[in-house]
Amino acid sequence: MEQFEGLTPTQTVERVGALLGCAPSSAQVAQYLDRQDPLRPLRDEFLLPRVSQLPPSDQSVADGSADCIYLVGNSLGLQPRLARQYLEEELDKWAQTGVHGHTEGSRPWAWAENNIEQMMADIVGANQEEVALMNGLTVNLHLLLLSFYKPTASRHKILLEAKAFPSDHYAVESQILLRGQDPEESMLLLSPRPGEETLRTEDILDMIESEGESIAVVMFPGVQYYTGQLFDMAAITAAGHRKGCYVGFDCAHAAGNAVLQLHDWEVDFACWCSYKYLNSGAGGLAGAFIHNKHKDTIKPALTGWWGHDLSTRFQMNNVLDLQPGVSGFRLSNQPILLVCPLQASLQVFHKAGMAALRRKSVLLTGYLEYLIRLYYTRDPSQPQRAHVHILTPADPQQRGCQLSLCFSLPIRTVFQELEKRGVACDMREPSVLRVAPVPLYNSFSDVHRFIETLGAALRASSS
């Protein structure tokens, strides 16, 4: 799509419409963009559910033989085609070789996760030794906070957003209590300005500047799960460091979605799950990052034998030879059956590269935004007409691929009408529908079909 380099999504869509001699909203534009998409073959690397495979749907509305419109990769990514093959390989190896599988085959169980950590490091912008694949996201967040959160009488606060994902909120609250602090005093919660729905970067930086002397850890998401806002992680990190704070991020909604440079931004620590944009399956193996600058100074508060150096791990002399940095935070051997689907997905990312995925994502999400605004913006002259409001920032630099939509109609009714028509998306109380066209496997035609289907769902919801 080099011919559209430098154009905004709106300019691109209008340019294609003029080129084809059709309206920019025409399905022909989506089909043309799909034909020009160099990443289009990646869709075949994943298994797309059929409408008939979704929860009970009204087959008089949706054709059960069709592919569903899957726009919920921000909640659970699709299954990579190679996942089943890799799982069967390890099940066969277990059946045929038993305990010898720990050291044999293409992914020896004793160090299988190490073999795919470079691909993960590439996705989050880190050095391989700064990344570990282990546990689940919240477990990793606890392990990291145990080492980075060291409250003192004067510096005891953790700064986080007021509407943090519940697991982050609970983890921070419990870490504060564990250290004998009062969450009422030590949890510093930042909300958007009155009447606004997302946080302004300047307000985050101002809070760090004004409260920084009392802040031990700045703990933010990379992307806010409810609004889809992508935070300026580099600016937040720099501001925190100027005030002597550690800065960490929950990258659950950012890894595989936005271009991250955790090492270059000098982020102190980060963690993320892998079952959303990284397609590892429900409960998949999570990731953790600790910057190399801390490898000799930050130690794990809890240790296990998988943090012991691999070359001497199996000597069993009970003298811990702790690996430096994040590798020393490993506790137990990783489940090989969780390594397999993650490997299958990371290999697809490796083919594509995050820069190319991000370029497509900006255009794909911009195309979705363009069509929503074209058809469903509130019209004061027609106050009874159903309309949509986009919570997510319009600036592509402040969002990934997710748009969070609010409706003039009851959200549950709209969601149910979309499900009947074969749309897989995500409803979040109290009033948001999260829609995420993922560049790995979603197409421009998916977006166009969604917009048409949304119209039918809104008409049904209004009747």
Side-chain angles (χ1 to χ4, degrees):
M1 297 186 181
E2 293 82 2
Q3 66 268 41
F4 306 119
E5 198 73 34
L7 300 182
T8 67
T10 294
Q11 291 169 335
T12 298
V13 171
E14 292 176 346
R15 179 76 61 85
V16 172
L19 178 69
L20 299 178
C22 64
S25 58
S26 168
Q28 292 174 260
V29 170
Q31 293 160 4
Y32 176 87
L33 291 172
D34 283 334
R35 290 194 299 271
Q36 299 297 313
D37 177 15
L39 301 180
R40 186 183 185 186
L42 298 182
R43 183 182 177 97
D44 294 332
E45 304 273 2
F46 296 89
L47 297 171
L48 192 67
R50 310 291 282 180
V51 171
S52 59
Q53 296 166 335
L54 297 180
S57 59
D58 184 345
Q59 295 303 309
S60 67
V61 174
D63 178 1
S65 66
D67 287 341
C68 81
I69 305 172
Y70 197 85
L71 297 173
V72 71
N74 58 325
S75 186
L76 183 68
L78 292 179
Q79 182 182 130
R81 284 190 179 274
L82 283 175
R84 182 181 297 273
Q85 174 186 323
Y86 289 173
L87 285 165
E88 289 178 347
E89 287 173 358
E90 296 313 308
L91 290 172
D92 288 343
K93 184 169 72 173
W94 180 21
Q96 296 164 11
T97 70
V99 70
H100 299 291
H102 280 102
T103 56
E104 295 180 359
S106 61
R107 56 185 76 81
W109 306 333
W111 56 85
E113 75 275 13
N114 300 146
N115 293 341
I116 61 174
E117 283 169 344
Q118 181 61 63
M119 290 189 289
M120 181 64 84
D122 292 341
I123 289 173
V124 298
N127 298 328
Q128 180 177 349
E129 65 272 18
E130 295 174 317
V131 169
L133 295 173
M134 58 186 189
N135 309 314
L137 186 156
T138 306
V139 174
N140 288 341
L141 178 56
H142 274 298
L143 293 174
L144 292 166
L145 286 174
L146 281 171
S147 293
F148 281 94
Y149 180 53
K150 302 289 188 182
T152 65
S154 60
R155 192 185 286 273
H156 57 88
K157 295 178 182 177
I158 298 180
L159 173 63
L160 67 161
E161 43 143 357
K163 292 187 177 180
F165 194 84
S167 63
D168 286 5
H169 185 102
Y170 300 154
V172 167
E173 187 174 46
S174 63
Q175 289 286 332
I176 288 171
L177 289 168
L178 184 65
R179 302 310 174 93
Q181 304 293 319
D182 182 356
E184 291 292 327
E185 297 180 359
S186 296
M187 286 183 76
L188 186 58
L189 304 177
L190 183 59
S191 299
R193 297 183 185 186
E196 298 186 2
E197 296 157 325
T198 57
L199 287 165
R200 297 190 188 189
T201 301
E202 60 262 35
D203 290 348
I204 301 172
L205 304 186
D206 287 347
M207 176 66 81
I208 294 172
E209 178 62 30
S210 63
E211 298 285 341
E213 300 297 334
S214 64
I215 296 173
V217 175
V218 176
M219 180 67 217
F220 257 71
V223 172
Q224 214 282 340
Y225 82 98
Y226 188 78
T227 66
Q229 179 181 10
L230 171 62
F231 291 109
D232 190 338
M233 300 168 68
I236 292 171
T237 302
H241 288 169
R242 284 194 295 271
K243 303 299 288 189
C245 314
Y246 287 126
V247 182
F249 290 94
D250 174 349
C251 293
H253 289 268
N257 180 19
V259 175
L260 304 179
Q261 297 294 337
L262 298 182
H263 176 83
D264 290 348
W265 296 337
E266 297 196 346
V267 171
D268 294 299
F269 67 92
C271 50
W272 57 93
C273 59
S274 64
Y275 51 81
K276 302 180 191 299
Y277 296 104
L278 298 175
N279 315 297
S280 68
L285 199 59
F289 163 90
I290 295 178
H291 197 281
N292 266 344
K293 64 187 176 183
H294 298 303
K295 69 177 183 178
D296 297 319
T297 55
I298 297 292
K299 304 295 184 182
L302 301 174
T303 55
W305 78 307
W306 226 245
H308 189 110
D309 186 86
L310 176 62
S311 65
T312 56
R313 182 181 297 160
F314 292 94
Q315 291 181 3
M316 309 297 195
N317 60 10
N318 285 350
V319 178
L320 180 61
D321 184 7
L322 188 69
Q323 297 180 84
V326 73
S327 292
F329 282 67
R330 305 171 196 267
L331 298 177
S332 302
N333 52 319
Q334 312 312 327
I336 185 60
L337 299 184
L338 297 186
V339 172
C340 293
L342 181 55
Q343 177 185 351
S345 178
L346 293 181
Q347 287 173 338
V348 183
F349 274 95
H350 184 69
K351 287 182 185 178
M354 280 306 303
L357 286 168
R358 177 61 175 165
R359 283 194 298 271
K360 177 181 175 181
S361 181
V362 169
L363 180 55
L364 190 62
T365 304
Y367 179 52
L368 172 63
E369 179 189 31
Y370 172 84
L371 293 177
I372 289 173
R373 295 193 187 281
L374 179 66
Y375 287 114
Y376 305 120
T377 298
R378 182 177 181 274
D379 184 351
S381 67
Q382 302 180 60
Q384 301 305 313
R385 192 188 75 167
H387 58 268
V388 178
H389 168 62
I390 302 174
L391 266 68
T392 311
D395 178 7
Q397 300 306 311
Q398 295 185 59
R399 69 185 186 201
C401 71
Q402 172 186 319
L403 292 185
S404 296
L405 311 179
C406 284
F407 294 83
S408 59
L409 300 170
I411 185 65
R412 186 170 295 277
T413 302
V414 176
F415 177 70
Q416 290 170 345
E417 291 295 336
L418 285 169
E419 276 202 325
K420 288 180 183 179
R421 291 162 173 80
V423 175
C425 54
D426 183 62
M427 182 183 72
R428 291 287 165 148
E429 299 289 359
S431 60
V432 160
L433 193 72
R434 304 189 307 170
V435 178
V438 174
L440 265 181
Y441 47 73
N442 281 128
S443 67
F444 293 90
S445 293
D446 286 340
V447 169
H448 194 273
R449 285 176 60 206
F450 168 73
I451 292 296
E452 290 185 327
T453 307
L454 179 60
L458 292 178
R459 289 190 293 274
S461 300
S462 302
S463 60

